[in-house]
């Protein structure tokens, strides 16, 4: 295989101060490529997806544990390996990969994220891209898919249990519904969303879509084994919980005794779930406005910040 030519500098979206994306995010024509450590690969980025944590980080919500500025944002990536560190065993140059490039979401994320032409990530954070998914589809998955899976694992979810998903049409919620129904074998999946998104919930596998604009889930007579809160309604969730059931949330501060967690990224989760995507049991859900071209990354952030996206917002192609 011919050697791949790797430049010393690249194009990337960066910010040098904290603030709103439309004010601080700038297109930078000449950013140095990240150094590739022994356990890392260098990825030629094809697509990236945005997560709420991207704009919260940009606005300085966890500046005390952030990496130094300037930085290129972006956690989720899909692309092609162009260089491997000396300790890398799983991947070779030319492999198509995807993953969330940050080990812990709130602790020193990488200075060069996925909204750049190249990014580096540890081998253990990445997985081989499912062959039937496009780069844009694969980039939509890692952080939210892993979060959905880890939350279900933490509740001990298993076949025959019932679940209520609060925020069923969002990035995490769309995966919780599908995993609960098609991987774990839930007996009943209920989920909340606004009126126009109820059909999507049904298509994902929800048995009972609940229109939160017309009814309050906490008034339901039915009780659930698990409530998965993706929107910050943890306290109310206990009103519809069976005795001995569990509430899990990804929205701080949580509410005791709910399980609150922040994802620790692991490419092994993606590898484990790849066959479900390749068989069509699980599907990536991209927001109807996606993909946004690389040049419209600021517009992509503006859409993210409305909190009205369906599924995931993807930036593609990245040159």
């Amino acid at each position: 295989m011919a050697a791949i030519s790797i430049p010393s500098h690249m194009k990337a979206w960066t910010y040098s101060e904290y603030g709103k994306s439309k004010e601080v995010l700038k297109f930078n024509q000449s950013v140095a490529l990240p150094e590739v450590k022994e356990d890392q690969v260098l990825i030629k980025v094809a697509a990236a997806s945005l997560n709420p944590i991207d704009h919260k980080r940009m606005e300085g919500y966890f500046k005390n544990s952030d990496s130094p500025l300037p930085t290129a944002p972006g956690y989720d990536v899909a692309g092609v390996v162009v260089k491997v560190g000396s300790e890398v065993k799983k991947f070779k140059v030319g492999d198509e990969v995807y993953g969330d490039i940050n080990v812990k979401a709130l602790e020193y994320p990488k200075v060069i994220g996925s909204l750049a032409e190249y990014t580096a990530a540890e081998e253990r954070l990445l997985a081989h891209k499912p062959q039937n998914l496009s780069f844009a589809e694969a980039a939509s998955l890692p952080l939210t898919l892993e979060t959905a899976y880890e939350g279900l694992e933490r509740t001990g979810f298993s076949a025959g249990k019932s679940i209520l998903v609060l925020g069923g049409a969002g990035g995490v919620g769309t995966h919780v519904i599908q995993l609960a129904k098609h991987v774990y074998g839930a007996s009943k999946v209920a989920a909340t969303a606004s009126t126009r998104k109820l059909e999507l919930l049904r298509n994902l596998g929800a048995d009972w879509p609940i229109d939160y604009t017309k009814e309050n889930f906490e008034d339901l007579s039915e009780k659930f084994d698990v409530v998965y809160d993706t929107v910050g309604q943890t306290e109310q969730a206990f009103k519809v919980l069976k005795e001995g059931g569990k509430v899990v949330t990804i929205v701080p501060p949580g509410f005791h005794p709910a399980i609150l967690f922040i994802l620790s990224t692991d490419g092994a989760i993606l590898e484990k779930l790849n066959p479900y995507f390749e068989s069509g049991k699980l599907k990536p859900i991209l927001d109807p406005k996606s993909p946004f071209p690389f040049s419209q990354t600021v517009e992509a952030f503006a859409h993210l910040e409305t909190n009205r996206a369906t599924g995931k917002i993807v930036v593609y192609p990245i040159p």
Side-chain angles (χ1 to χ4, degrees), residues 54-88:
D54 287 303
H55 79 81
K56 288 173 181 168
R57 179 186 170 206
M58 197 181 305
E59 290 165 23
Y61 276 78
F62 56 99
K63 61 177 78 168
N64 293 338
S65 61
D66 200 0
S67 301
L69 303 181
T71 189
Y75 286 64
D76 285 333
V77 69
V80 178
V81 173
V82 292
K83 185 178 180 181
V84 297
S86 59
E87 294 172 8
V88 171

Side-chain angles (χ1 to χ4, degrees), residues 230-294:
T230 76
V231 293
Q233 296 179 304
T234 317
E235 187 174 350
Q236 300 96 301
F238 284 94
K239 295 177 180 171
V240 290
L241 194 65
K242 283 184 185 174
E243 194 172 332
K246 290 182 178 169
V247 175
V248 63
T249 184
I250 55 172
V251 185
F255 182 82
H256 185 76
I259 302 162
L260 169 68
F261 76 98
I262 304 294
L263 178 69
S264 292
T265 307
D266 184 1
I269 296 171
L270 301 178
E271 294 283 9
K272 180 176 183 176
L273 295 173
N274 273 354
Y276 293 96
F277 285 96
E278 288 173 339
S279 70
K281 278 189 173 179
L282 297 177
K283 293 180 170 61
I285 304 299
L286 271 60
D287 183 84
K289 291 191 164 152
S290 283
F292 287 81
F294 195 49

